[in-house]
Amino acid sequence: MVKIVNFIIPEKNNRIKDETEPKFLDSRLVYQPVAAVRLVTKEVIRSAELVRNNFLLMVDIEKKKDEQVLEKISQKCEVVDSLNSKISDYMATMFSVGSLNEEQANEASGILYVMNDVDRINQLLKEVFMNIAEHIPENVKHSKKKKSVKNELVYSKQALDELKASLETIYKNFSDIIFSIADGNKKAAQKVFENKNDIMKISTKLRKGHISRVCSGMCNSKHVVSFNTILNDIDRIGNSIINIAEVISKNENFIDFIDDGKNEVL
């Protein structure tokens, strides 16, 4: 679990049961820009951590072989979507009250960019999950018994193995980004950004493998469109990860702003 930095207000002892509810945002501080922006950052890190956990569920799906995993992931994605909507509303209020100076507005904009890409990654992950779920036969979907989906999915085992390996690679890069924000380590983000070409090659490699399997008859050609949709989503996830890395690595004050607030108390 990512170590969330303690910027301003200590966490409440009582844990919020509804994950869609913000854990750190405080409407009373919206007129105090330094405090408000740091609380938003904490909430965005929390949202990103939820997305990171969804990655873990996805890359482990081949082991669990259970459609209930897909249902759980779908629910978790909805949680992130709802949470990000509330963060956006809070940030809109911050900008509308006019309490941010130019530097604070720039930092808030950077955080907003990060949140938008986290939200986009969450939506794309959900599309990948739903794509796989749609290719589970109806007798498995509606069965009351837990059934293995092994050999039931229309995608070949080799295709699923390659997808899993690609998701694991993307997961590692996304995790590095979250750690770089939470721990104030810009170098981790810079490394991810420098590896952008390798990240963008992931979908290209998957496409080549897919074409080869279709040509050899290993994969059914009628599933080309649906599988290509997954590849496009993975490509866009990679783009968003690179976008986040670029914001952090190229913004001179972004990490410093976060780091300065770690031990600050109201």
Side-chain angles (χ1 to χ4, degrees):
M1 182 68 69
V2 171
K3 179 182 178 182
I4 304 298
V5 293
N6 294 318
F7 295 143
I8 299 174
I9 299 177
E11 291 186 27
K12 298 177 182 179
N13 291 328
N14 55 319
R15 298 181 64 185
I16 296 176
K17 295 182 179 180
D18 185 356
E19 288 185 307
T20 66
E21 289 300 319
K23 187 175 181 180
F24 303 104
L25 302 185
D26 190 332
S27 60
R28 297 168 299 178
L29 297 178
V30 74
Y31 291 96
Q32 300 181 36
V34 174
V37 172
R38 284 172 180 156
L39 291 179
V40 165
T41 304
K42 291 186 73 172
E43 205 69 67
V44 170
I45 294 173
R46 175 177 168 243
S47 173
E49 177 66 10
L50 291 173
V51 175
R52 195 178 80 92
N53 289 338
N54 287 342
F55 265 112
L56 281 175
L57 288 171
M58 188 60 190
V59 299
D60 202 32
I61 190 173
E62 187 66 12
K63 294 180 180 178
K64 297 184 178 180
K65 303 182 180 70
D66 193 334
E67 194 211 355
Q68 289 186 356
V69 176
L70 291 168
E71 294 174 356
K72 181 178 180 181
I73 293 171
S74 178
Q75 293 171 358
K76 293 291 185 182
C77 286
E78 293 295 336
V79 166
V80 175
D81 183 53
S82 179
L83 176 60
N84 286 343
S85 178
K86 291 170 183 176
I87 297 174
S88 293
D89 290 343
Y90 188 87
M91 294 195 73
T93 302
M94 284 171 49
F95 281 107
S96 66
V97 298
S99 60
L100 299 171
N101 61 33
E102 183 177 354
E103 181 180 359
Q104 292 162 347
N106 288 336
E107 301 303 337
S109 295
I111 294 168
L112 182 60
Y113 291 144
V114 169
M115 192 206 71
N116 285 340
D117 276 302
V118 168
D119 189 58
R120 188 175 297 112
I121 291 170
N122 179 62
Q123 294 298 327
L124 291 169
L125 277 178
K126 183 180 178 182
E127 289 182 17
V128 173
F129 305 152
M130 292 302 98
N131 188 314
I132 293 177
E134 287 172 2
H135 289 81
I136 297 175
E138 291 299 317
N139 63 321
V140 175
K141 289 182 181 180
H142 300 297
S143 174
K144 293 183 179 179
K145 297 180 180 180
K146 289 184 177 181
K147 292 184 62 177
S148 167
V149 298
K150 184 177 181 181
N151 298 324
E152 303 260 17
L153 289 168
V154 296
Y155 300 137
S156 68
K157 184 179 185 304
Q158 184 177 348
L160 290 174
D161 286 344
E162 289 185 5
L163 278 176
K164 180 187 173 188
S166 298
L167 286 169
E168 286 175 341
T169 300
I170 293 174
Y171 162 77
K172 181 183 182 305
N173 283 281
F174 185 69
S175 295
D176 288 344
I177 289 292
I178 304 310
F179 276 108
S180 73
I181 300 174
D183 294 338
N185 179 10
K186 183 181 287 189
K187 289 183 179 179
Q190 290 173 334
K191 185 176 180 179
V192 172
F193 184 67
E194 290 169 0
N195 292 337
K196 63 180 180 179
N197 289 334
D198 291 335
I199 295 174
M200 298 312 301
K201 287 179 182 177
I202 292 175
S203 61
T204 301
K205 182 179 178 180
L206 285 172
R207 281 189 173 84
K208 288 182 179 179
H210 179 53
I211 292 173
S212 176
R213 288 189 299 273
V214 171
C215 291
S216 66
M218 185 180 297
C219 288
N220 194 322
S221 60
K222 71 179 183 179
H223 302 303
V224 168
V225 174
S226 61
F227 196 79
N228 276 336
T229 298
I230 291 180
L231 301 188
N232 289 335
D233 287 340
I234 288 177
D235 190 43
R236 293 165 66 192
I237 290 172
N239 270 321
S240 287
I241 290 174
I242 293 170
N243 289 343
I244 297 173
E246 184 174 18
V247 169
I248 297 171
S249 62
K250 290 190 174 182
N251 189 324
E252 294 296 330
N253 300 320
F254 190 84
I255 291 295
D256 292 337
F257 174 80
I258 295 172
D259 195 51
D260 287 343
K262 285 184 177 181
N263 300 314
E264 186 173 331
V265 180
L266 281 175

